[in-house]
Amino acid sequence: MTHTAPQPDPARTAMVVDDHPITHLGCGRLLADLGYGRVLKAMSGDEALALLDSHQPQVVVLDISLPGVGGLALIAPILERSPDSAILMFSMNDQPGFAARALAEGAHGFLSKNAPPEEFGTAIRALETGEFYLPPRLALALATRQAGADRSATLTAREDEVLTLIGEGLALQQVADRLGVSYKTVANAASTLKRKLGVSNITGLIRHAVARER
């Protein structure tokens, strides 16, 4: 059966942030085939953030290696300006560590630039439905890595309390107030938790706390 691509819809907007024109051309065509009527193009982080002042794309395809501010550091400011955007990290480097950090920073998916066009479509469609996307090989590698981290992470009672309250959405000062300890005590516990659990920020701790309650 022949697959018919949807007609581009002007109401559907995507943004590609990459400093290579050929990437813009290729991604633009693929996104048009997926029904996106408007594809914004940014060659740097500054250009991307400026576009977000007047546009709210449903999907952002974001390169890790950019001039100036790198893609990983752009995830948070992009989501601050456009919280409903789904971010697909797009990189020549497909090492698990890069994927893990991208997800910890708030990205919704990770794809190698060496992936076939069909997989690009699969990733975008997953993000459109609110799902996360990782290539099967990377997903397996991260699962194995997380299992190892879980086995090696022995938490103290205090660290367990802090992690639980962070998972409930409390800020560090609120955690300190709840436990009746100083902010510094909680901040030190949070730093230790990030090291033990292999995450880089509070968002990573929240995700870990939520995951262990499932």
Side-chain angles (χ1 to χ4, degrees):
M1 185 173 71
T2 302
H3 173 72
T4 302
Q7 289 296 314
D9 181 353
R12 300 182 70 198
T13 302
M15 180 166 69
V16 179
V17 188
D18 196 289
D19 60 337
H20 293 92
I22 195 167
T23 301
H24 284 287
L25 179 62
C27 287
R29 289 178 176 174
L30 291 171
L31 288 163
D33 287 343
L34 291 167
Y36 287 87
R38 175 182 291 178
V39 180
L40 309 172
K41 300 176 181 178
M43 300 289 285
S44 68
D46 288 341
E47 288 184 17
L49 296 179
L51 284 171
L52 291 175
D53 289 335
S54 54
H55 301 282
Q56 299 285 292
Q58 285 87 18
V59 171
V60 176
V61 179
L62 177 61
D63 188 15
I64 284 184
S65 300
L66 292 168
V69 179
L72 291 171
L74 278 172
I75 295 173
I78 286 174
L79 292 176
E80 286 175 4
R81 287 169 170 78
S82 185
D84 293 330
S85 294
I87 298 177
L88 177 67
M89 299 304 297
F90 203 41
S91 175
M92 288 298 297
N93 193 322
D94 62 353
Q95 295 301 308
F98 282 93
R101 186 175 171 195
L103 295 181
E105 294 292 338
H108 304 84
F110 188 97
L111 188 66
S112 168
K113 289 185 176 181
N114 294 318
E118 295 79 9
E119 189 173 8
F120 182 89
T122 298
I124 295 295
R125 284 190 290 269
L127 268 60
E128 289 172 344
T129 60
E131 298 178 1
F132 286 82
Y133 182 81
L134 284 175
R137 182 188 69 80
L138 273 181
L140 177 61
L142 289 184
T144 302
R145 173 174 168 164
Q146 185 61 52
D150 289 343
R151 286 193 297 270
S152 63
T154 302
L155 306 185
T156 65
R158 175 66 76 201
E159 290 163 357
D160 190 82
E161 288 177 322
V162 170
L163 182 61
T164 298
L165 293 175
I166 287 175
E168 293 177 4
L170 274 65
L172 296 187
Q173 184 60 61
Q174 293 174 310
V175 173
D177 294 342
R178 178 77 65 84
L179 297 177
V181 298
S182 69
Y183 174 86
K184 184 176 180 181
T185 296
V186 173
N188 288 340
S191 296
T192 302
L193 282 166
K194 284 186 281 187
R195 176 179 55 78
K196 285 186 175 182
L197 299 176
V199 300
S200 60
N201 55 25
I202 293 296
T203 301
L205 290 181
I206 293 172
R207 288 180 177 169
H208 189 94
V210 171
R212 73 174 186 166
E213 297 298 326
R214 290 176 181 170

